Amino acid sequence: MTRKTFSFIIMVIFITAILAGYFSLFYFPHKHAADTMKALLDNLAANKDYVHLLDSSISNKSFIKYFKANELGYEQVKTRRTGKNTYRANVHFTIPEGLVPAEFIIKKINSEYKISSLPRIVNVHGLLIKKEAGSSKKSVEYLTTKGGVDYTITAHPGFSPDFNVPLTFTFMGKTPVKIIPMQLVTMDKILSLSDKHIEGINMGKLTTENLDVYRLEDDMPHYISPSSVPSGTGNAQIFMADNKPVAMFIKKNEIPISTVRVALNKSNFNGLLHSGIELGSEGTYYVETKAAPKLKYKFTNTSVVFKNESGEVGLYHNGSRINSSENRWHISTEKTPISVYSIKRSHTANKNSTSYGGSMEITPWENGMLLVNEIDMEEYLYSVVPSEMPVKFGIEPLKAQAVAARSYAIRSIYSSSMVKYGANMDDSTSSQVYNNVLHQELSNKAVNETKGIVPLYGGIIADTRFFSTSCGYTANYADVWKSPNASFPGPQIPYLVSLPQYNGETLDLSKEKNLKTFIENKALDGFDKHSPYFRWNTVFTGPQLNELAKKTLTAIFNSNPNAVLVNNGSKYVREKNLPDIGSILDLKVLKRGSGGNMIELEIITSQSKYKLIGELNIRRFFKPGLLNLNDGSSRKNFPLLPSAFAFIDIERINKNSISSLTITGGGYGHGVGMSQYGAYGMANKGYDYAHIIDHFYPGTELVKLY
C-alpha cells in the first residue's frame, strides 16, 4: 500500500466519523423527536393510548380534548433543535377554513423523548372585530376589542367573521381555529346591574363577571363602563356564553326619560334598607314575581307585609305567610295609589300611611330589602317641586324649579349612579326630596306647563344645581366641587359661574375688603333679600372655639385627610396623623372664590398651623350654637355655617388669647346654579321662568324633550 493510498483511507475514515457524529448529534435526535410527535398525533387520531408520550409535568391538556372532539387533520412540517435535548415541532392542522399552525415542545428525558408542551386551547368570549388591519395570501389581521382594550389578531384568510358584534374565538396557541356567533337574547328591561349580576324583569338575576357593555350609535358599538347603564334601560341585547352574559348592546333611545325609578328611604329618611315593609291599596292591586318561578296574588282594600328572610323576601297577609321569593316582587294597582304603611313623611306624620303613584318593587338586599317606586316623570315632579320650593313663591319660580328638577332627574337617570340598587335616584336630599309634602295645585300646574322642558348646553342636558339663598352673588362650580380625580378646585362649567344677584355692576368679591363691604351693605336690593338667610351672623367665645375646633377639625381630617394640610415650618403638606391642635390663636381666609365664598382657611394654633380646603369643610368647621338671621329670628345648634360667603371678626384678650369670634355672612347653601329665593325675587320684579333659567344658567337653551 502506497503512502498516498493510506492517506486517502485515513481521510475517508475521518470524514465518515464526522458524518456519523453529525447524524448522531443532529439527524437521529431530530428523527426521534419527530417520531414522537407523529406517534402522539397518530395515536390520538386512532383513539389509542398516548399518555406514555407525554411528560408528566403537562397539566393543561385542552389540546387533547379539542383534537379528539374535532377530528383534526394534520401535517407535520418540521422539527428543529432549540436547545440541549429540546426540540420544537411545527404542525399544520386542517380546519374548515384551511391550515393553521401550532407548536409543540419535545424533550429528551432519561434517553426517552417526551412531549413537554402542548398548544393551549382557549375560548375567548365576547371579542368584537372592529376592522381588518391588514392581509396577505396566508393571513388576515383583525383589530379586535374586549373590555375597552384593543388587540390585533392574525387569522386564516378563510374565515369570514361578522364585524362589530361580540363573537366567541377558539384559539390554538395564538391562532384562531374557530370563530362563531354568540347566543343572543333580549332583556326587556334592565332593573339592576352590578359587577356580579344583571337583572331583568322576566329573566331575573343573571350572574355575570367582567360584562362588556357597548352603546350603539348609528349602529356602531362604542364601549362604555357597565356602571354607565341606567336602571330602566329597555331591549338590551345580551350575548351569552355558557349561560352567562358576556357582552351587551344598549341604545340611548331605549333609556326612558319620561319615567323614573326612585329608591325610597325609611321613615325620617333613615337609610334605604328596610327590615319590614307594609303596603296596600284602597282598590285592587297585584303582587307578583315576573321571573321564574312566577307567582301572582290579587288583593283588594287590604294590606300585605314583606319580610327579609335570608336572601329572600317573604309575603304575609293577615299574619300568615303566603310565599317567599329571591326574585323581585312587583306591586301594581288598577287605578288607586299604593299606600305604604311602614313609611312616614312630613305630610303623613299624623296618618297611617304615605301614598305613592306608579308601581312598587321590593327586592332582597344584604340584610334588608330595597323598595323602589317607578313612576311617570311628571307625576314624580308633582311631589318633588313642592318638597323643594315653597308653593307661596308663585307660578314662575315653581316653573323654574320644575325645569331644574326635571333636568336633575334626567341627568340622574343617565348618570346611573344607583343602578346596582335598581334605581335612578333616592327620595332624600342626596338626590331630590320626593313626596315629603302633598301635591299642590299650583306646583302641579307649573310641572304641567313645562312638561318635558329642560335646558341644554352644547346639546347636553345642563347640570341644574340649585340651592336656597344667595348672599347676592352665586359661586363658580370650580370653587365648590372637586374635579373627577378628587383635586381641588374642580373643572370650569361655562354656565355655572359666579354672577351678581341684583341689578347693578359686578364686583370682585374674591378680595377680603370687597366681600366685607358687600355683606355689610344693608341697602343692597338683592333678589334674595326676602330670605331669612340673606344675612346672618354667629358668635363663638374663645373657649367655645377651641373646644369646637378639636372636634370638627379632627372629624374633617378623619373623613378627608387631603382637606387638612399641616405646616411643616416652610410649607403646607399632607400628614398621616393630625398633630395636637392646642388653642386657636388666629384664623385667616387665604383664598376666596370669585363670588366671595371661602375656599381656603388658615387656622393658627398654639401647636401648629393648618390649612383647611373646600367651602363645605370650612362650613363644617364652624358649627354655630346660635345662628342669628336676617328677619330677627334665630336657630339653635345649626349643623354648619349656612354658606361660605362670610367674613370673620376677632376680639382678643391679648395676642395669644381670643375673647370672641364673630362670623357674618349671607346665603344658605353651596351657592352654585339657581338660588330659589333669587328666583322668587326675580319673579317679583316681573321675570318669567325662561328668563330665570337663562339668568342662573347663562348660555343654555330650553328644549322640549317629550
Side-chain angles (χ1 to χ4, degrees), residues 517-532:
T517 300
F518 182 77
I519 294 294
E520 290 179 332
N521 181 8
K522 299 185 182 301
L524 180 68
D525 187 22
F527 298 148
D528 299 76
K529 66 182 181 181
H530 297 293
S531 169

mmCIF file of all heavy atoms in Angstrom, residues 517-532:
data_model
loop_
_atom_site.group_PDB
_atom_site.id
_atom_site.type_symbol
_atom_site.label_atom_id
_atom_site.label_comp_id
_atom_site.label_asym_id
_atom_site.label_seq_id
_atom_site.Cartn_x
_atom_site.Cartn_y
_atom_site.Cartn_z
ATOM 1 N N THR A 517 -67.374 94.594 52.639
ATOM 2 C CA THR A 517 -68.200 95.759 52.307
ATOM 3 C C THR A 517 -69.529 95.316 51.706
ATOM 4 O O THR A 517 -70.593 95.870 52.012
ATOM 5 C CB THR A 517 -67.451 96.671 51.313
ATOM 6 O OG1 THR A 517 -66.230 97.107 51.921
ATOM 7 C CG2 THR A 517 -68.285 97.874 50.938
ATOM 8 N N PHE A 518 -69.471 94.305 50.869
ATOM 9 C CA PHE A 518 -70.679 93.805 50.199
ATOM 10 C C PHE A 518 -71.653 93.208 51.215
ATOM 11 O O PHE A 518 -72.862 93.487 51.186
ATOM 12 C CB PHE A 518 -70.284 92.758 49.155
ATOM 13 C CG PHE A 518 -71.434 92.207 48.373
ATOM 14 C CD1 PHE A 518 -72.013 92.942 47.338
ATOM 15 C CD2 PHE A 518 -71.949 90.950 48.650
ATOM 16 C CE1 PHE A 518 -73.072 92.425 46.618
ATOM 17 C CE2 PHE A 518 -73.009 90.432 47.928
ATOM 18 C CZ PHE A 518 -73.577 91.172 46.909
ATOM 19 N N ILE A 519 -71.159 92.370 52.110
ATOM 20 C CA ILE A 519 -72.030 91.725 53.100
ATOM 21 C C ILE A 519 -72.635 92.771 54.048
ATOM 22 O O ILE A 519 -73.795 92.645 54.478
ATOM 23 C CB ILE A 519 -71.255 90.658 53.894
ATOM 24 C CG1 ILE A 519 -70.847 89.492 52.982
ATOM 25 C CG2 ILE A 519 -72.065 90.143 55.073
ATOM 26 C CD1 ILE A 519 -71.989 88.679 52.441
ATOM 27 N N GLU A 520 -71.889 93.810 54.355
ATOM 28 C CA GLU A 520 -72.376 94.835 55.286
ATOM 29 C C GLU A 520 -73.297 95.856 54.634
ATOM 30 O O GLU A 520 -73.877 96.700 55.321
ATOM 31 C CB GLU A 520 -71.185 95.556 55.922
ATOM 32 C CG GLU A 520 -70.399 94.683 56.897
ATOM 33 C CD GLU A 520 -69.208 95.411 57.490
ATOM 34 O OE1 GLU A 520 -68.680 96.323 56.812
ATOM 35 O OE2 GLU A 520 -68.807 95.075 58.630
ATOM 36 N N ASN A 521 -73.452 95.784 53.316
ATOM 37 C CA ASN A 521 -74.305 96.740 52.596
ATOM 38 C C ASN A 521 -75.777 96.422 52.839
ATOM 39 O O ASN A 521 -76.360 95.545 52.191
ATOM 40 C CB ASN A 521 -73.978 96.698 51.109
ATOM 41 C CG ASN A 521 -74.820 97.684 50.310
ATOM 42 O OD1 ASN A 521 -75.550 98.512 50.873
ATOM 43 N ND2 ASN A 521 -74.735 97.598 48.995
ATOM 44 N N LYS A 522 -76.393 97.146 53.753
ATOM 45 C CA LYS A 522 -77.791 96.891 54.096
ATOM 46 C C LYS A 522 -78.765 97.439 53.056
ATOM 47 O O LYS A 522 -79.953 97.120 53.070
ATOM 48 C CB LYS A 522 -78.105 97.482 55.473
ATOM 49 C CG LYS A 522 -77.277 96.872 56.594
ATOM 50 C CD LYS A 522 -77.707 97.411 57.938
ATOM 51 C CE LYS A 522 -76.867 96.856 59.071
ATOM 52 N NZ LYS A 522 -76.930 95.388 59.161
ATOM 53 N N ALA A 523 -78.267 98.252 52.141
ATOM 54 C CA ALA A 523 -79.137 98.834 51.118
ATOM 55 C C ALA A 523 -79.186 97.997 49.845
ATOM 56 O O ALA A 523 -79.875 98.361 48.885
ATOM 57 C CB ALA A 523 -78.652 100.248 50.777
ATOM 58 N N LEU A 524 -78.490 96.863 49.835
ATOM 59 C CA LEU A 524 -78.438 96.038 48.628
ATOM 60 C C LEU A 524 -79.822 95.496 48.293
ATOM 61 O O LEU A 524 -80.460 94.836 49.118
ATOM 62 C CB LEU A 524 -77.459 94.874 48.821
ATOM 63 C CG LEU A 524 -77.303 93.932 47.634
ATOM 64 C CD1 LEU A 524 -76.622 94.651 46.470
ATOM 65 C CD2 LEU A 524 -76.525 92.681 48.029
ATOM 66 N N ASP A 525 -80.271 95.790 47.079
ATOM 67 C CA ASP A 525 -81.577 95.309 46.623
ATOM 68 C C ASP A 525 -81.392 93.972 45.907
ATOM 69 O O ASP A 525 -81.611 93.838 44.704
ATOM 70 C CB ASP A 525 -82.212 96.342 45.687
ATOM 71 C CG ASP A 525 -83.651 95.973 45.308
ATOM 72 O OD1 ASP A 525 -84.283 95.201 46.068
ATOM 73 O OD2 ASP A 525 -84.109 96.428 44.251
ATOM 74 N N GLY A 526 -80.973 92.967 46.669
ATOM 75 C CA GLY A 526 -80.703 91.652 46.086
ATOM 76 C C GLY A 526 -81.981 90.877 45.829
ATOM 77 O O GLY A 526 -83.000 91.060 46.491
ATOM 78 N N PHE A 527 -81.927 90.001 44.847
ATOM 79 C CA PHE A 527 -83.089 89.165 44.535
ATOM 80 C C PHE A 527 -83.485 88.301 45.724
ATOM 81 O O PHE A 527 -84.649 87.928 45.869
ATOM 82 C CB PHE A 527 -82.782 88.251 43.335
ATOM 83 C CG PHE A 527 -82.478 88.980 42.051
ATOM 84 C CD1 PHE A 527 -81.593 88.447 41.124
ATOM 85 C CD2 PHE A 527 -83.077 90.204 41.757
ATOM 86 C CE1 PHE A 527 -81.315 89.102 39.940
ATOM 87 C CE2 PHE A 527 -82.803 90.877 40.574
ATOM 88 C CZ PHE A 527 -81.913 90.322 39.665
ATOM 89 N N ASP A 528 -82.511 87.971 46.592
ATOM 90 C CA ASP A 528 -82.757 87.042 47.707
ATOM 91 C C ASP A 528 -83.111 87.747 49.011
ATOM 92 O O ASP A 528 -83.162 87.099 50.063
ATOM 93 C CB ASP A 528 -81.508 86.186 47.948
ATOM 94 C CG ASP A 528 -81.120 85.339 46.761
ATOM 95 O OD1 ASP A 528 -80.565 85.876 45.786
ATOM 96 O OD2 ASP A 528 -81.366 84.131 46.804
ATOM 97 N N LYS A 529 -83.352 89.029 48.977
ATOM 98 C CA LYS A 529 -83.483 89.802 50.218
ATOM 99 C C LYS A 529 -84.630 89.350 51.100
ATOM 100 O O LYS A 529 -84.654 89.652 52.304
ATOM 101 C CB LYS A 529 -83.619 91.282 49.895
ATOM 102 C CG LYS A 529 -84.903 91.653 49.166
ATOM 103 C CD LYS A 529 -84.936 93.143 48.843
ATOM 104 C CE LYS A 529 -86.237 93.543 48.135
ATOM 105 N NZ LYS A 529 -86.251 94.984 47.801
ATOM 106 N N HIS A 530 -85.605 88.620 50.545
ATOM 107 C CA HIS A 530 -86.743 88.177 51.353
ATOM 108 C C HIS A 530 -86.440 86.910 52.148
ATOM 109 O O HIS A 530 -87.265 86.480 52.962
ATOM 110 C CB HIS A 530 -87.966 87.942 50.469
ATOM 111 C CG HIS A 530 -88.456 89.189 49.786
ATOM 112 N ND1 HIS A 530 -89.005 90.250 50.473
ATOM 113 C CD2 HIS A 530 -88.452 89.543 48.478
ATOM 114 C CE1 HIS A 530 -89.331 91.211 49.618
ATOM 115 N NE2 HIS A 530 -89.001 90.814 48.409
ATOM 116 N N SER A 531 -85.285 86.307 51.920
ATOM 117 C CA SER A 531 -84.925 85.095 52.662
ATOM 118 C C SER A 531 -84.408 85.459 54.041
ATOM 119 O O SER A 531 -83.608 86.393 54.190
ATOM 120 C CB SER A 531 -83.836 84.321 51.915
ATOM 121 O OG SER A 531 -83.301 83.296 52.731
ATOM 122 N N PRO A 532 -84.800 84.718 55.080
ATOM 123 C CA PRO A 532 -84.243 84.982 56.411
ATOM 124 C C PRO A 532 -82.736 84.720 56.459
ATOM 125 O O PRO A 532 -82.045 85.221 57.348
ATOM 126 C CB PRO A 532 -85.009 84.007 57.318
ATOM 127 C CG PRO A 532 -85.562 82.966 56.410
ATOM 128 C CD PRO A 532 -85.816 83.646 55.104
#
